Amino acid sequence: MKIPVGILGATGAVGQRFVQLLADHPWFEVAELAASDRSAGRPYREACTWRLAGAPSDAVADIRVATCEGPFRAKVLFSGLDSSVAGEVEAGLAGQGYAVVSNARNHRMDPDVPLLIPEVNPDHLDALDAQRRRTGGGYIVTNPNCSVVGLAMALAPLHRAFGLREVAVATLQALSGAGYPGVASMDATDNVVPYIGGGEEEKIEAEPRRILGRFDGRGFVPAAFAISAAVHRVPVSDGHTMAIFVRLERKTSAADAARALAEFRGEPQERRLPSAPRRPIHVLDAPDRPQPRLDRDREGGMAVSVGRVREDRTFDLKLEALVHNTIRGAAGAAILNAELLKARDLLP
Ligand code: NAP
């Protein structure tokens, strides 16, 4: 028997990815869908303007959309809720005993909420003990900002092997990262916008240090390296690209850095979780890759592509990374988180 799951914010850009990625999932089955009062009470096929390839199954399209307060039959709830409401709604549901596996930014930096990339920091799940004591049983687990997933995955093997001292990153972020309708077409076409609202740069400067830090049994201790980010919205549909510059504790060659990246594996690969990419990081040799259109769908959008790993005279290394922002950067990340929770027997 599959585990019934609900999707909060099911009508949005990330919610639709959840529906798409959970179709035919070997462990989870979409049983409930929820969104705002605007959608509640209507069948999903009417409440949602589907904007991805394919279509939801009839069984899902027929589900009547609920509001997000609950109660729900499913004990596992994926959240693609708008951040204006996610904070309160998710905390309320965790307080009612649900496992909330969220994309939203609201609880990512809470002192007992894991900000999880299963390949990188599965030990951060140890914080759930304290969180469950606080809530009475339910909990929230979050995945990082869509750029941070790619950045932290590219940094993790370098940090482990050589130690990070300083990181600078310039992002080129896809339009789908802003949800629908997102950036106005008159602003996006033939243009680059050097600003993304909602504290994007601040998130990129804070979350990787939390993720690459450790949980010491009482709290999260962030990694000590410094990080500076500059973000840009570019006219690409899906796929965030990043130019990354790193200064290391122990200098290395580009070849050794590329090997550390290519050989990187984690618990999802050991446990063969259903959504885990075989290789979390694909290192590309061609001098003009990665590119969003050509590389974002590697391993179903769950692998990060890295290229142009090279030595640098100002920093020590520089490289390019690419992540599919609504798959590995959002819904796919949350589904992998839930698979790890199930594999570790942590689902309610
Ligand atoms: P979106 O397309 O605007 O969808 C927002 C969803 O939230 C819709 O289902 C909407 O329902 C629901 N909602 C809005 N107000 C609500 C309310 N008052 N009560 C209950 N539900 C409400 O946004 P998105 O791009 O999917 O992003 C969703 C979340 O994921 C955000 O927190 C975002 O920061 C995060 N995220 C997005 C990406 C990305 O690449 N897009 C990546 C990582 C994380 P209605 O249709 O009924 O209004």
mmCIF file with all atom_site columns, all heavy atoms in Angstrom, residues 307-319:
data_model
loop_
_atom_site.group_PDB
_atom_site.id
_atom_site.type_symbol
_atom_site.label_atom_id
_atom_site.label_alt_id
_atom_site.label_comp_id
_atom_site.label_asym_id
_atom_site.label_entity_id
_atom_site.label_seq_id
_atom_site.pdbx_PDB_ins_code
_atom_site.Cartn_x
_atom_site.Cartn_y
_atom_site.Cartn_z
_atom_site.occupancy
_atom_site.B_iso_or_equiv
_atom_site.pdbx_formal_charge
_atom_site.auth_seq_id
_atom_site.auth_comp_id
_atom_site.auth_asym_id
_atom_site.auth_atom_id
_atom_site.pdbx_PDB_model_num
ATOM 1   N N   . GLY A 1 307 ? 30.506 22.578 -14.735 1.00 0.00 ? 307 GLY A N   1
ATOM 2   C CA  . GLY A 1 307 ? 31.481 22.627 -15.820 1.00 0.00 ? 307 GLY A CA  1
ATOM 3   C C   . GLY A 1 307 ? 32.460 23.753 -15.598 1.00 0.00 ? 307 GLY A C   1
ATOM 4   O O   . GLY A 1 307 ? 32.356 24.509 -14.621 1.00 0.00 ? 307 GLY A O   1
ATOM 5   N N   . ARG A 1 308 ? 33.415 23.839 -16.531 1.00 0.00 ? 308 ARG A N   1
ATOM 6   C CA  . ARG A 1 308 ? 34.414 24.910 -16.498 1.00 0.00 ? 308 ARG A CA  1
ATOM 7   C C   . ARG A 1 308 ? 35.109 25.000 -15.140 1.00 0.00 ? 308 ARG A C   1
ATOM 8   O O   . ARG A 1 308 ? 35.337 26.102 -14.620 1.00 0.00 ? 308 ARG A O   1
ATOM 9   C CB  . ARG A 1 308 ? 33.787 26.255 -16.871 1.00 0.00 ? 308 ARG A CB  1
ATOM 10  C CG  . ARG A 1 308 ? 33.022 26.224 -18.193 1.00 0.00 ? 308 ARG A CG  1
ATOM 11  C CD  . ARG A 1 308 ? 33.103 27.537 -18.925 1.00 0.00 ? 308 ARG A CD  1
ATOM 12  N NE  . ARG A 1 308 ? 34.475 27.803 -19.312 1.00 0.00 ? 308 ARG A NE  1
ATOM 13  C CZ  . ARG A 1 308 ? 35.027 29.030 -19.356 1.00 0.00 ? 308 ARG A CZ  1
ATOM 14  N NH1 . ARG A 1 308 ? 34.315 30.084 -19.030 1.00 0.00 ? 308 ARG A NH1 1
ATOM 15  N NH2 . ARG A 1 308 ? 36.276 29.185 -19.731 1.00 0.00 ? 308 ARG A NH2 1
ATOM 16  N N   . VAL A 1 309 ? 35.441 23.845 -14.583 1.00 0.00 ? 309 VAL A N   1
ATOM 17  C CA  . VAL A 1 309 ? 36.182 23.857 -13.309 1.00 0.00 ? 309 VAL A CA  1
ATOM 18  C C   . VAL A 1 309 ? 37.612 24.262 -13.645 1.00 0.00 ? 309 VAL A C   1
ATOM 19  O O   . VAL A 1 309 ? 38.297 23.568 -14.405 1.00 0.00 ? 309 VAL A O   1
ATOM 20  C CB  . VAL A 1 309 ? 36.171 22.456 -12.651 1.00 0.00 ? 309 VAL A CB  1
ATOM 21  C CG1 . VAL A 1 309 ? 36.905 22.506 -11.311 1.00 0.00 ? 309 VAL A CG1 1
ATOM 22  C CG2 . VAL A 1 309 ? 34.746 21.950 -12.484 1.00 0.00 ? 309 VAL A CG2 1
ATOM 23  N N   . ARG A 1 310 ? 38.042 25.392 -13.119 1.00 0.00 ? 310 ARG A N   1
ATOM 24  C CA  . ARG A 1 310 ? 39.365 25.876 -13.506 1.00 0.00 ? 310 ARG A CA  1
ATOM 25  C C   . ARG A 1 310 ? 40.029 26.622 -12.349 1.00 0.00 ? 310 ARG A C   1
ATOM 26  O O   . ARG A 1 310 ? 39.346 27.118 -11.456 1.00 0.00 ? 310 ARG A O   1
ATOM 27  C CB  . ARG A 1 310 ? 39.285 26.738 -14.765 1.00 0.00 ? 310 ARG A CB  1
ATOM 28  C CG  . ARG A 1 310 ? 38.348 27.942 -14.654 1.00 0.00 ? 310 ARG A CG  1
ATOM 29  C CD  . ARG A 1 310 ? 37.604 28.103 -15.964 1.00 0.00 ? 310 ARG A CD  1
ATOM 30  N NE  . ARG A 1 310 ? 36.934 29.399 -16.071 1.00 0.00 ? 310 ARG A NE  1
ATOM 31  C CZ  . ARG A 1 310 ? 35.683 29.647 -15.648 1.00 0.00 ? 310 ARG A CZ  1
ATOM 32  N NH1 . ARG A 1 310 ? 34.987 28.705 -15.022 1.00 0.00 ? 310 ARG A NH1 1
ATOM 33  N NH2 . ARG A 1 310 ? 35.142 30.838 -15.824 1.00 0.00 ? 310 ARG A NH2 1
ATOM 34  N N   . GLU A 1 311 ? 41.375 26.658 -12.438 1.00 0.00 ? 311 GLU A N   1
ATOM 35  C CA  . GLU A 1 311 ? 42.111 27.393 -11.403 1.00 0.00 ? 311 GLU A CA  1
ATOM 36  C C   . GLU A 1 311 ? 41.992 28.887 -11.677 1.00 0.00 ? 311 GLU A C   1
ATOM 37  O O   . GLU A 1 311 ? 41.768 29.297 -12.813 1.00 0.00 ? 311 GLU A O   1
ATOM 38  C CB  . GLU A 1 311 ? 43.583 26.938 -11.412 1.00 0.00 ? 311 GLU A CB  1
ATOM 39  C CG  . GLU A 1 311 ? 43.727 25.547 -10.814 1.00 0.00 ? 311 GLU A CG  1
ATOM 40  C CD  . GLU A 1 311 ? 44.825 24.717 -11.444 1.00 0.00 ? 311 GLU A CD  1
ATOM 41  O OE1 . GLU A 1 311 ? 45.878 25.285 -11.779 1.00 0.00 ? 311 GLU A OE1 1
ATOM 42  O OE2 . GLU A 1 311 ? 44.610 23.497 -11.612 1.00 0.00 ? 311 GLU A OE2 1
ATOM 43  N N   . ASP A 1 312 ? 42.130 29.662 -10.609 1.00 0.00 ? 312 ASP A N   1
ATOM 44  C CA  . ASP A 1 312 ? 41.907 31.100 -10.725 1.00 0.00 ? 312 ASP A CA  1
ATOM 45  C C   . ASP A 1 312 ? 42.978 31.836 -9.925  1.00 0.00 ? 312 ASP A C   1
ATOM 46  O O   . ASP A 1 312 ? 43.316 31.425 -8.820  1.00 0.00 ? 312 ASP A O   1
ATOM 47  C CB  . ASP A 1 312 ? 40.505 31.428 -10.186 1.00 0.00 ? 312 ASP A CB  1
ATOM 48  C CG  . ASP A 1 312 ? 40.184 32.892 -10.324 1.00 0.00 ? 312 ASP A CG  1
ATOM 49  O OD1 . ASP A 1 312 ? 40.188 33.395 -11.462 1.00 0.00 ? 312 ASP A OD1 1
ATOM 50  O OD2 . ASP A 1 312 ? 39.951 33.547 -9.288  1.00 0.00 ? 312 ASP A OD2 1
ATOM 51  N N   . ARG A 1 313 ? 43.504 32.925 -10.488 1.00 0.00 ? 313 ARG A N   1
ATOM 52  C CA  . ARG A 1 313 ? 44.613 33.619 -9.823  1.00 0.00 ? 313 ARG A CA  1
ATOM 53  C C   . ARG A 1 313 ? 44.140 34.545 -8.707  1.00 0.00 ? 313 ARG A C   1
ATOM 54  O O   . ARG A 1 313 ? 44.891 34.867 -7.809  1.00 0.00 ? 313 ARG A O   1
ATOM 55  C CB  . ARG A 1 313 ? 45.413 34.410 -10.846 1.00 0.00 ? 313 ARG A CB  1
ATOM 56  C CG  . ARG A 1 313 ? 46.496 33.546 -11.459 1.00 0.00 ? 313 ARG A CG  1
ATOM 57  C CD  . ARG A 1 313 ? 47.426 34.384 -12.306 1.00 0.00 ? 313 ARG A CD  1
ATOM 58  N NE  . ARG A 1 313 ? 47.400 33.850 -13.658 1.00 0.00 ? 313 ARG A NE  1
ATOM 59  C CZ  . ARG A 1 313 ? 47.547 34.565 -14.761 1.00 0.00 ? 313 ARG A CZ  1
ATOM 60  N NH1 . ARG A 1 313 ? 47.701 35.857 -14.697 1.00 0.00 ? 313 ARG A NH1 1
ATOM 61  N NH2 . ARG A 1 313 ? 47.525 33.989 -15.933 1.00 0.00 ? 313 ARG A NH2 1
ATOM 62  N N   . THR A 1 314 ? 42.886 34.966 -8.752  1.00 0.00 ? 314 THR A N   1
ATOM 63  C CA  . THR A 1 314 ? 42.381 35.864 -7.705  1.00 0.00 ? 314 THR A CA  1
ATOM 64  C C   . THR A 1 314 ? 41.786 35.036 -6.570  1.00 0.00 ? 314 THR A C   1
ATOM 65  O O   . THR A 1 314 ? 42.164 35.155 -5.412  1.00 0.00 ? 314 THR A O   1
ATOM 66  C CB  . THR A 1 314 ? 41.319 36.808 -8.289  1.00 0.00 ? 314 THR A CB  1
ATOM 67  O OG1 . THR A 1 314 ? 41.878 37.472 -9.408  1.00 0.00 ? 314 THR A OG1 1
ATOM 68  C CG2 . THR A 1 314 ? 40.857 37.813 -7.255  1.00 0.00 ? 314 THR A CG2 1
ATOM 69  N N   . PHE A 1 315 ? 40.837 34.158 -6.957  1.00 0.00 ? 315 PHE A N   1
ATOM 70  C CA  . PHE A 1 315 ? 40.377 33.132 -6.014  1.00 0.00 ? 315 PHE A CA  1
ATOM 71  C C   . PHE A 1 315 ? 41.258 31.903 -6.281  1.00 0.00 ? 315 PHE A C   1
ATOM 72  O O   . PHE A 1 315 ? 42.284 32.028 -6.945  1.00 0.00 ? 315 PHE A O   1
ATOM 73  C CB  . PHE A 1 315 ? 38.905 32.820 -6.281  1.00 0.00 ? 315 PHE A CB  1
ATOM 74  C CG  . PHE A 1 315 ? 37.978 33.910 -5.807  1.00 0.00 ? 315 PHE A CG  1
ATOM 75  C CD1 . PHE A 1 315 ? 37.778 35.063 -6.571  1.00 0.00 ? 315 PHE A CD1 1
ATOM 76  C CD2 . PHE A 1 315 ? 37.307 33.788 -4.617  1.00 0.00 ? 315 PHE A CD2 1
ATOM 77  C CE1 . PHE A 1 315 ? 36.938 36.068 -6.136  1.00 0.00 ? 315 PHE A CE1 1
ATOM 78  C CE2 . PHE A 1 315 ? 36.457 34.789 -4.174  1.00 0.00 ? 315 PHE A CE2 1
ATOM 79  C CZ  . PHE A 1 315 ? 36.267 35.928 -4.937  1.00 0.00 ? 315 PHE A CZ  1
ATOM 80  N N   . ASP A 1 316 ? 40.913 30.728 -5.766  1.00 0.00 ? 316 ASP A N   1
ATOM 81  C CA  . ASP A 1 316 ? 41.703 29.535 -6.080  1.00 0.00 ? 316 ASP A CA  1
ATOM 82  C C   . ASP A 1 316 ? 41.092 28.743 -7.226  1.00 0.00 ? 316 ASP A C   1
ATOM 83  O O   . ASP A 1 316 ? 41.796 28.165 -8.040  1.00 0.00 ? 316 ASP A O   1
ATOM 84  C CB  . ASP A 1 316 ? 41.811 28.639 -4.837  1.00 0.00 ? 316 ASP A CB  1
ATOM 85  C CG  . ASP A 1 316 ? 42.635 29.306 -3.758  1.00 0.00 ? 316 ASP A CG  1
ATOM 86  O OD1 . ASP A 1 316 ? 43.645 29.953 -4.101  1.00 0.00 ? 316 ASP A OD1 1
ATOM 87  O OD2 . ASP A 1 316 ? 42.256 29.216 -2.574  1.00 0.00 ? 316 ASP A OD2 1
ATOM 88  N N   . LEU A 1 317 ? 39.733 28.703 -7.254  1.00 0.00 ? 317 LEU A N   1
ATOM 89  C CA  . LEU A 1 317 ? 39.034 27.930 -8.279  1.00 0.00 ? 317 LEU A CA  1
ATOM 90  C C   . LEU A 1 317 ? 37.836 28.727 -8.749  1.00 0.00 ? 317 LEU A C   1
ATOM 91  O O   . LEU A 1 317 ? 37.278 29.525 -7.989  1.00 0.00 ? 317 LEU A O   1
ATOM 92  C CB  . LEU A 1 317 ? 38.464 26.628 -7.688  1.00 0.00 ? 317 LEU A CB  1
ATOM 93  C CG  . LEU A 1 317 ? 39.352 25.453 -7.372  1.00 0.00 ? 317 LEU A CG  1
ATOM 94  C CD1 . LEU A 1 317 ? 38.486 24.371 -6.718  1.00 0.00 ? 317 LEU A CD1 1
ATOM 95  C CD2 . LEU A 1 317 ? 40.036 24.899 -8.619  1.00 0.00 ? 317 LEU A CD2 1
ATOM 96  N N   . LYS A 1 318 ? 37.396 28.467 -9.979  1.00 0.00 ? 318 LYS A N   1
ATOM 97  C CA  . LYS A 1 318 ? 36.077 28.954 -10.400 1.00 0.00 ? 318 LYS A CA  1
ATOM 98  C C   . LYS A 1 318 ? 35.406 27.880 -11.233 1.00 0.00 ? 318 LYS A C   1
ATOM 99  O O   . LYS A 1 318 ? 36.073 27.056 -11.866 1.00 0.00 ? 318 LYS A O   1
ATOM 100 C CB  . LYS A 1 318 ? 36.161 30.297 -11.122 1.00 0.00 ? 318 LYS A CB  1
ATOM 101 C CG  . LYS A 1 318 ? 37.124 30.386 -12.259 1.00 0.00 ? 318 LYS A CG  1
ATOM 102 C CD  . LYS A 1 318 ? 37.206 31.839 -12.751 1.00 0.00 ? 318 LYS A CD  1
ATOM 103 C CE  . LYS A 1 318 ? 38.312 32.000 -13.767 1.00 0.00 ? 318 LYS A CE  1
ATOM 104 N NZ  . LYS A 1 318 ? 38.452 33.384 -14.246 1.00 0.00 ? 318 LYS A NZ  1
ATOM 105 N N   . LEU A 1 319 ? 34.087 27.870 -11.214 1.00 0.00 ? 319 LEU A N   1
ATOM 106 C CA  . LEU A 1 319 ? 33.318 26.838 -11.894 1.00 0.00 ? 319 LEU A CA  1
ATOM 107 C C   . LEU A 1 319 ? 31.905 27.367 -12.165 1.00 0.00 ? 319 LEU A C   1
ATOM 108 O O   . LEU A 1 319 ? 31.493 28.377 -11.597 1.00 0.00 ? 319 LEU A O   1
ATOM 109 C CB  . LEU A 1 319 ? 33.245 25.557 -11.055 1.00 0.00 ? 319 LEU A CB  1
ATOM 110 C CG  . LEU A 1 319 ? 32.685 25.680 -9.643  1.00 0.00 ? 319 LEU A CG  1
ATOM 111 C CD1 . LEU A 1 319 ? 31.967 24.404 -9.251  1.00 0.00 ? 319 LEU A CD1 1
ATOM 112 C CD2 . LEU A 1 319 ? 33.803 25.935 -8.646  1.00 0.00 ? 319 LEU A CD2 1
#
